[in-house]
Structure formats: C-alpha cells, structure tokens
Amino acid sequence: MDSQTSQSSQASPSPHTFQVDLRGLVDLLSHHLYSSPKVYLRELLQNAVDAITARRAEQPDAPARVRLHAQEGTLRVEDSGVGLTEADVHTLLATIGRSSKRAGGLQDGLQEVRSDFLGQFGIGLLACFVVAERIRVVSRSARTPEAAPVEWTASDDGSYTVRTLPHEARPEPGTTVHLTARPGAGEWLTPERVLTLARDFGSLLPYDVRVGDEAVTDLPAPWDRPYPSPATRRVALARHCHDLFGFTPLDSIELTVPLAGVRGVAYVLPAAVSPATRATHRVHLKGMLLTERAEQLLPDWAFFVRCVLDTDSLRPTASREALYEDETLAAVREALGERIRSWLTALAAGDPERLAAFLSVHHLGVKSLARHDKDMLRTMLPWLPFETTDGQLSLEEFAQRHPVVHFTRTVEEYRQVAPIASAQGVGVVNGGYTYDSDLVEALPSVRPGTVVAELDTDTVTAHLDAVDPADELALSGFLAAARARLDPLGCDVVLRAFRPLSVPALHLDDRSARHEQARAEAEAQADDLWAGILGSLRGSAPRARLVLNHLNPLIRRISSLGDPELIGTATESLYGQALLMAQRPLRPADSALLNRAFMGLLEWATNGEEGR
C-alpha cells in the first residue's frame, strides 16, 4: 500500500491546455491593447504586405497587389501573397500568438527576409474581431501550387471550421479575407471609412494597394521626391505639412539618417509652444503607419518641431502603436537631434534672415539646447535675443559694450534696477526668463575674458551718488522718522542722489533679503517653540532698502516736513509706490501699509482743507 502510494505520488501530473475565452480576448484587445477599432485595417494590410514580401523573397517577379472592396457591413481584402496550405491554416490561425515568421512556420528557411515583416499573422487576424463577428479566409499557397485552396471560417464565439475547396475557387496564389461586421460596428466597414483608413495607414507601403479603383499608396514619399530647386522642395513640403498636420511650417528639416534606417522630415512650428509640451510625431514602420503620437523620438529640447518619418530599425510595442524604448531608439533620437542641430548651424552660417525669423518664435528651444551644448551656444551667441538695459540684444553685442555683464536671476529684480542702472551706465541682463541666467553664467566658457557678475543691492547702491554729509546730517530727523516707520517691514531707508530725477524712491532687495523677510514673518506667526527655532536661524543677510532720491523735488519737500507722523505716512506711500513700480507681488503687510498710507494722506488732505 505504501509502495503504491509512493509510486503514485511520483507520477507526473497530466498536462492541461489553457482554454481561451475569445470574446474576453477581443474585449481585451479593443479596450486595452489597441487605442481604436480602426487598427483592424492596419492589421489586414500588414498581413497582406507580409504575405507579398514572403512570396517575392522566393519569386522576385511575383505580382504585388492588395485590393480592398467594401460594401455596407462587409469587407473583402485580396492579396497576391504567398498564401496558405491547410497545414499552414491549422498552424497559424488556430493557435493564438503563433507568428508566421517563427522558425518552422510558413516562412521557414527565409531567415534573411524576416526583418521585412511587419506583424504577426495570427494575432493580426484575431484583431479583426474588434469590428467583425465573422471572418472567412480563402487562400492558395504559392509555395505548394498543387495544393488545393483552403477555407478557414471563424466566429467571435471562438469556433472555426477548415475545409478544402476546388481549384477553381481560387485560381491564383494568394489570400482573400472576408469580414462581416458585428452589430454596431458597420461604420468601420463603409467604403468611405475604409478608403480613409487605408490611405492613412498605407500611403507609404511599397506595393500597389487600392480600395476599389482608388489608389492608396503615394510614392515616393514627399521627402524622397526630386524637385527642380530647393525653393520648390520647400513649398511642396510645406503643402505636405499643412495636409498632414494642419499648419504651414516656418521651415522643413531633412531627417534622413541612412545608418539609423530613418527617412523623413521635421516641420518647424509657426508659433511658440511651451517647453513642457510633449511633442508627438508620425512614424511609419517599413511604410506602414505605426503611430501619430510617437513621443521620445526627438530630444526634449526639440519641442519646436513635428516630424513624420519612415523607419525599418525601430522596434514597436506589442500593440504596434508606439515605439519601444531601447538602445536603438536612443541612438536614433541622438542622430535626429544632430540633424536639427546641423540645420541651426547652417542657418547661422548662411541664412541669417531665416534664422532671425526662426529665433523670433523659438528662441526658447535654442536656449534650452545651448545650455548643454557649448558649440551651439558659441554658434548662436550673436543671434539669441536677451532683454537688457540697452534693449533687446545678443549676449555677444552686450558683452562688447560692457566690461562687466551684470545680470539678475528674477524678472522682479530686473524691473527694480533696470531704469536706475541704465541711467547710471550699468549694463544689466534680465536673467529671470527660462534658461537666461544659465546662459549668461556660461558666457565666459565660450567667450574667454568676459566678466559676469550677479547684480545685488550693494552693487546697485554703490553706483548711486552719495549725498553730501552735511546735507544728510541736516536730514537726520527725517531719516530717523522714515526708518522707524519701515523697520517693522524689515526695510532700511538710505539717501542717495541718482537719475532719472523723476524717480523719487527705489526699492532694492535680493534673494537673501527676501528669505530673511520670510523667516521673520514665520517667526512672528509661530508659537514659542517654533519662534525660538526660527529666531536661531536669523542670519546676517542684508535687509531690503528703500533708496530715496535726494535730487527728486518731492523727496526734498517731504524731507522738510516737521510732523513725524506725516513723514511716516509719506514714507509708507513712497515704499508702496516703489513696490508697484518694480511690479513686485505684495505681501499682506504691504497691502495693509498701502491702504493705511492712502487713508492717512486723504485724512491729512481733508483736515488741511478744513483748516484753510
């Protein structure tokens, strides 16, 4: 008994075969693998093209035709490909996932042409159940011409039948696929829809494909056609871009990279886009449209172009609607980026007008590239525009005018100092826009000898003329009242003489001063524990400064006032006006100060009127 039990436990269990619910699999395909039912037509075209490719590998002169005939609710697709025997049908169509390109399959012995195939025959035909309730395939083998034609008929409930037919049922080798629409999917099999989809997917296929009498293929591709002149080519490609993407490009860039197996064109967008915008591109694989939304095809900095290309080297994902991220795609991305970089360099060298037109729209993309590419920064240095106190200039021209290139890191800092710095002869670059401060700091690396310095409040104040000590001493009471009023706001008051005379006061701070202000505000609102911690973080960072212009007539009149309260109200008004002129965002304390100063001045004015 024990011996029998031991032998039984050592016996191998009986194998079982997975049972596949075809309806559930079709639901999986339609709702999770494929983005739209329209891919059924791509799968049919792929099967037909692969069959022709297989036949031509053995019979180079074999016909290469694909014909689609659509009627309401039905579709017939005929190809002159290699065809199937009854054994092939059982092998390829009855086993889900079996590829005709595997060893031992239909193309056994054709290893050298397998790279020319587009898809998997079994899975591709199964995808047709997304729109069809019944599929009928009639095929005759070109490799075994004496074999009888075979018919495979399948329903979406998972059942199928196979039978041989008389030779006259299919006189020539090839395959015909008949689809009968499932309820609610008839629109996908109308003649108009089939023609639109066939042209969308198959316009670059290498064989003669027609829907009825209408040609589908349009070869050679627009970027491969000969043109009488560069201008004619540019016009033709612009028309192609408009038809494909709906916009007329600023320019077109050839993307042919033979070593990467890529042929195509990039179109430069006519309007600026955000660098954060994820660019999508149109990719064909061996002539068949793979996707209209390919991402990661170009470097991130090339967000200003949309491209269309055909490739035979990139690997598609399982759904064949996107590109697989691998080393090949990375190499292609780098090669395409180099083509766009070369185009920019050529424009800088030989066509400054077109370059200027491009940079007026897409300077941000070039700046993004130049941050990481010193050669590109050096090439674009005379062309890239920057906002400066001398107007819109390139860094090259600005550096020629100023021995020290001062810059600010924020737009707010620039707006504070630009009018004053310009009047004092100090050149400043606004580095507050995307990438600008990085490029200014990189300037010495491509222009040796250039001195770059971040502009801070001490530098600005140092360029303002000091007031005569006797005059400042005479105004000590006024300055003391003004400082007392702004001290709770973390702002000092200093007196200088500067131009333009029309500016009564200048508010200066930097990042360290703003950090100290934020710390002080947090400390004031915190409980005892956090107040102690924040207080221990107090640094020696400089405070913000309100610089009063001793040359301004208004400041002279205010400084002669004898009422400390009125001096304080006037100082608050000058502080608020200086903040507004700098276009700085107002803190709640600043807004409260402005309201208080406004009401105080109104009260003073009305009281003064009553006393008159």
Side-chain angles (χ1 to χ4, degrees), residues 359-379:
L359 289 178
S360 67
V361 179
H362 295 299
H363 58 274
L364 205 57
V366 180
K367 287 181 177 180
S368 173
L369 169 60
R371 278 193 313 154
H372 307 291
D373 190 325
K374 289 185 178 180
D375 291 336
M376 181 55 60
L377 177 58
R378 187 179 294 107
T379 300

Side-chain angles (χ1 to χ4, degrees), residues 5-49:
T5 302
S6 175
Q7 291 177 357
S8 175
S9 64
Q10 294 176 0
S12 300
S14 300
H16 298 278
T17 302
F18 281 106
Q19 300 299 312
V20 177
D21 180 355
L22 188 57
R23 292 184 186 274
L25 186 57
V26 169
D27 180 74
L28 178 66
L29 290 172
S30 59
H31 290 97
H32 300 284
L33 183 62
Y34 296 128
S35 62
S36 166
K38 69 180 182 181
V39 298
Y40 88 91
L41 193 65
R42 182 195 64 194
E43 300 295 339
L44 288 174
L45 288 175
Q46 283 183 348
N47 288 340
V49 169

Side-chain angles (χ1 to χ4, degrees), residues 250-261:
L250 285 178
D251 207 348
S252 55
I253 308 169
E254 184 177 343
L255 294 183
T256 300
V257 186
L259 292 179

